[in-house]
Amino acid sequence: MTGAPIALYFAVNDSVMGGEISSGAAEKAEIILAVRAMDKIRKIEVIKNGSVIQLFQDLESPEFDTALEDRQYDRTQNSYYCVRITQEDGEMAWSSPVFFVRD
């Protein structure tokens, strides 16, 4: 996080930031995201294995909530998810990853 106090809740399959999930036991990857920023949100990037899989941009509010599913989830692969938020003023916050580990 930069200097702005941006509140971020990020979970995948109810496992919060820094968590580890057995990919063999998970049928899908459900992502929950809640952001409370100090300025309008320029963009929110949901990242899987280093690539942006969902982009929300030019939001007119400093608050954002969503739930989504990664339709490309593959339970046979190791993977990780994280989120990066950029406010209109350039301040940023990012989550720790949630890891899916193959059994």
Side-chain angles (χ1 to χ4, degrees):
M1 185 162 104
T2 55
I6 300 169
L8 168 61
Y9 175 81
F10 171 66
V12 184
N13 292 8
D14 296 324
S15 184
V16 295
M17 295 183 269
E20 188 174 291
I21 301 166
S22 169
S23 61
E27 294 293 325
K28 55 187 169 182
E30 294 179 313
I31 300 163
I32 304 293
L33 175 63
V35 179
R36 302 295 178 263
M38 299 303 293
D39 197 358
K40 290 181 183 176
I41 300 168
R42 181 184 308 155
K43 66 181 173 180
I44 298 173
E45 300 164 286
V46 179
I47 299 164
K48 177 182 176 184
N49 299 335
S51 298
V52 176
I53 62 167
Q54 180 73 53
L55 175 65
F56 303 95
Q57 58 186 1
D58 299 324
L59 305 173
E60 293 297 319
S61 172
E63 297 184 1
F64 183 78
D65 297 282
T66 194
L68 57 118
E69 182 180 334
D70 176 10
R71 299 198 185 276
Q72 303 300 314
Y73 171 69
D74 181 352
R75 66 188 301 173
T76 67
Q77 300 295 315
N78 290 331
S79 57
Y80 71 88
Y81 295 85
C82 60
V83 174
R84 184 171 43 224
I85 293 98
T86 306
Q87 290 186 151
E88 196 65 37
D89 64 4
E91 295 288 327
M92 298 177 71
W94 46 91
S95 73
S96 295
V98 174
F99 298 92
F100 277 82
V101 180
R102 199 174 81 217
D103 299 287

